[in-house]
Amino acid sequence: VYQELQEFFRALTDLPVTDEVWRLAEQLAYRSRRAGLPRLAPDLIIAAAALKHQVPLWHCDRDFEQLKRVEPALKTYWHPHHAPGVG
């Protein structure tokens, strides 16, 4: 199991969290709160990094799908084992 986790984490892309990413996260926080969909800071930073670096966000967290209501440019994909309706 540990080796599988190591392989999984080696496959992840490291995206820099620049000042621009922080500003984008602040804007997402403001817009999501105004839309009645407040999100946690880590989710906002992750989404902002994906937006800034123009990469899709692969996840198993409904919060990212709700962020797409605020920012349609956010490209998301459900993890295949955690997609809604998968038991």
Side-chain angles (χ1 to χ4, degrees):
V1 172
Y2 181 72
Q3 186 175 0
E4 290 174 14
L5 286 173
Q6 282 182 314
E7 290 174 23
F8 172 78
F9 282 107
R10 273 196 296 271
L12 296 176
T13 302
D14 183 20
L15 300 175
V17 178
T18 62
D19 289 342
E20 190 174 351
V21 170
W22 283 107
R23 284 191 301 276
L24 186 52
E26 292 167 356
Q27 293 167 9
L28 286 172
Y30 175 76
R31 291 170 47 211
S32 64
R33 184 173 293 268
R34 288 197 62 200
L37 300 166
R39 301 292 107 196
L40 296 174
D43 289 349
L44 295 164
I45 296 165
I46 291 167
L51 284 164
K52 165 66 176 121
H53 298 287
Q54 299 178 345
V55 297
L57 180 56
W58 189 37
H59 67 86
C60 56
D61 184 339
R62 293 180 196 280
D63 289 345
F64 292 114
E65 293 303 311
Q66 290 188 351
L67 270 174
K68 282 177 29 175
R69 292 172 51 193
V70 174
E71 181 49 69
L74 180 63
K75 302 294 183 228
T76 63
Y77 299 96
W78 279 98
H79 183 285
H81 299 291
H82 299 283
V86 174

